[in-house]
Amino acid sequence: MLIVNDIHTYYGTIQALKGVSFNVDEGQIVTLIGANGAGKSTTLMSISGVYPPKRGQILFDMEDITGISADRIVQRGISQVPEGRRIFPHLTIRENLLMGSYLRKNKSEINDDLDRVFELFPVLAERRGQDGGTLSGGEQQMLAIGRALMAKPRLLLLDEPSLGLAPLIVEKIFEVIDGINRQGTTILLVEQNAFMALNVAHRGYVIETGRVVLEDRADALLDDPRVKEAYLGE
């Protein structure tokens, strides 16, 4: 579904990605793990069109999407949940979710997907008229995921969904991620919690200083001594 081929991305004169390459097969959860500042979030931003790469190529369904605008990438079926959630704090839960469907026209389908999000996150259904900024961190993460799902993506990009959340909430979020994937959405997951990420993913890639240094099946990476030492605290 997604081929990232030798992308080089810069912030001004600073090179953040130095030839990152990987694939995401349809129906899978693929995770990118690595230390803070390794280039994981920049990779997602490059795919979603926020920070287009200066070199390299990104293919989605074998179509070159390198450098096209972020809104056109969403229209093609890629939606991102950003790091830090970035909900609209003064809009209600329902309004936040509808913002995710901004580029869609079929109101009946939008309402069906709104119901799906409320089934996925009952706490959001109970508080649909409440301002997003009044929610807890975990509830805001649920809202951010729900907003991205309202774009009806075929590929969902998740950036640090467990960041700053209590362990029990993290477990709930990862159960939801697994459930979304089982319902047919392909997921590219960026996560510092390598243990949780590799337990839910099919494949994994390790990024260090803007380069992919290791790739394998997720279960194999869990058993890899290098991953254990660097990212699993063993």
Side-chain angles (χ1 to χ4, degrees):
M1 177 181 279
L2 180 75
I3 300 172
V4 176
N5 184 29
D6 192 33
I7 61 171
H8 298 248
T9 302
Y10 292 74
Y11 293 114
T13 60
I14 300 172
Q15 186 172 5
L17 301 183
K18 304 169 183 177
V20 167
S21 299
F22 62 90
N23 301 333
V24 178
D25 290 339
E26 186 166 6
Q28 287 194 335
I29 299 176
V30 173
T31 187
L32 308 179
I33 64 172
N36 203 13
K40 306 185 304 297
S41 294
T42 304
T43 301
L44 294 193
M45 292 291 196
S46 297
I47 295 166
S48 63
V50 178
Y51 294 112
K54 288 191 176 181
R55 289 169 47 199
Q57 189 178 47
I58 301 169
L59 301 177
F60 181 62
D61 280 343
M62 300 311 294
E63 178 184 0
D64 191 348
I65 62 169
T66 315
I68 72 172
S69 62
D71 61 308
R72 289 173 62 200
I73 288 174
V74 173
Q75 286 178 318
R76 279 163 170 76
I78 300 176
S79 187
Q80 181 167 346
V81 180
E83 181 181 355
R85 301 177 277 277
R86 300 188 189 181
I87 62 158
F88 301 103
H90 301 298
L91 296 183
T92 66
I93 288 171
R94 187 176 186 277
E95 289 166 341
N96 266 275
L97 293 173
L98 290 176
M99 286 299 291
S101 65
Y102 181 77
L103 294 174
R104 299 173 60 187
K105 305 300 181 186
N106 189 313
K107 290 186 177 180
S108 176
E109 289 184 359
I110 290 171
N111 286 331
D112 287 344
D113 287 333
L114 194 61
D115 289 340
R116 177 194 171 201
V117 170
F118 284 144
E119 287 176 11
L120 199 59
F121 302 112
V123 67
L124 299 184
E126 295 167 7
R127 306 180 187 181
R128 66 186 69 191
Q130 191 171 321
D131 284 355
T134 65
L135 300 177
S136 68
E139 290 163 348
Q140 287 188 18
Q141 187 63 66
M142 295 174 191
L143 180 56
I145 294 172
R147 181 182 60 188
L149 290 175
M150 287 300 295
K152 205 161 189 172
R154 293 182 54 232
L155 175 62
L156 181 64
L157 310 180
L158 287 169
D159 195 353
E160 302 286 5
S162 76
L163 188 66
L165 302 182
L168 285 176
I169 302 299
V170 170
E171 288 186 15
K172 170 62 177 175
I173 292 296
F174 274 89
E175 286 175 8
V176 168
I177 291 169
D178 183 58
I180 292 169
N181 176 248
R182 290 178 185 276
Q183 290 176 7
T185 303
T186 305
I187 294 174
L188 177 57
L189 169 66
V190 157
E191 181 57 61
Q192 283 194 55
N193 188 332
F195 180 78
M196 294 295 291
L198 291 171
N199 267 286
V200 77
H202 299 91
R203 289 189 59 79
Y205 294 81
V206 178
I207 295 184
E208 292 180 0
T209 60
R211 295 183 175 89
V212 172
V213 297
L214 194 60
E215 63 175 281
D216 210 330
R217 299 187 326 273
D219 58 348
L221 289 175
L222 276 170
D223 288 332
D224 191 296
R226 294 164 292 180
V227 174
K228 286 182 175 181
E229 181 180 358
Y231 304 108
L232 302 180
E234 296 181 22

